[in-house]
Amino acid sequence: MLKDDCIFCKIIKGEIPSQKVYEDGKMLVFKDIEPKAKVHLLAVAKTHFKLLSEMNGGDAELLKYMLCKIPGIAAENGCNNGYRLIINQGADAGQTVFHLHIHILGGETLPW
């Protein structure tokens, strides 16, 4: 279920524009508006849940699905020599949008 007050839910519903690179019935991948690498994509579940700790069995299957799709999406977007996946969990980790999402960073050698 999508939330009316969530920016990622609004992007999924098409209420806020984004630079989509992939979309299917379960997930949306779009370019981050403040990229931290040459390639910086956000993979967003089309089901709203904030944190890994909130997942139910269906959410876990959705996350598994997303993780299986990401390698192909990353390669199609210039991450041929590797990429980094980041899932921030909570404010202390830097999560600013509380809708589970996966950062895909690459297209260049990344510093740690």
Side-chain angles (χ1 to χ4, degrees):
M1 174 174 230
L2 298 176
K3 303 283 184 181
D4 290 335
D5 61 346
C6 170
I7 190 167
F8 286 169
C9 289
K10 290 179 180 182
I11 290 170
I12 291 165
K13 292 188 279 187
E15 296 173 3
I16 296 175
S18 66
Q19 290 185 300
K20 296 177 187 179
V21 299
Y22 178 83
E23 183 173 18
D24 65 24
K26 297 180 180 184
M27 65 187 283
L28 172 65
V29 182
F30 55 93
K31 293 182 179 182
D32 193 297
I33 61 170
E34 294 181 15
K36 305 298 186 233
K38 184 176 177 182
V39 176
H40 188 168
L41 307 174
L42 298 175
V44 180
K46 285 192 170 180
T47 298
H48 182 93
F49 58 99
K50 296 178 187 178
L51 302 165
L52 293 170
S53 59
E54 293 183 354
M55 287 191 309
N56 61 37
D59 297 333
E61 285 300 314
L62 175 57
L63 184 58
K64 176 183 170 183
Y65 174 85
M66 293 173 67
L67 290 170
C68 288
K69 296 294 280 186
I70 284 173
I73 295 165
E76 290 171 4
N77 285 277
C79 298
N80 300 308
N81 293 320
Y83 54 92
R84 181 175 296 159
L85 300 180
I86 300 171
I87 301 175
N88 295 319
Q89 293 291 280
D92 284 354
Q95 187 176 8
T96 57
V97 178
F98 288 87
H99 178 127
L100 188 99
H101 57 285
I102 304 168
H103 294 261
I104 305 164
L105 299 123
E108 64 185 320
T109 301
L110 300 171
W112 183 248

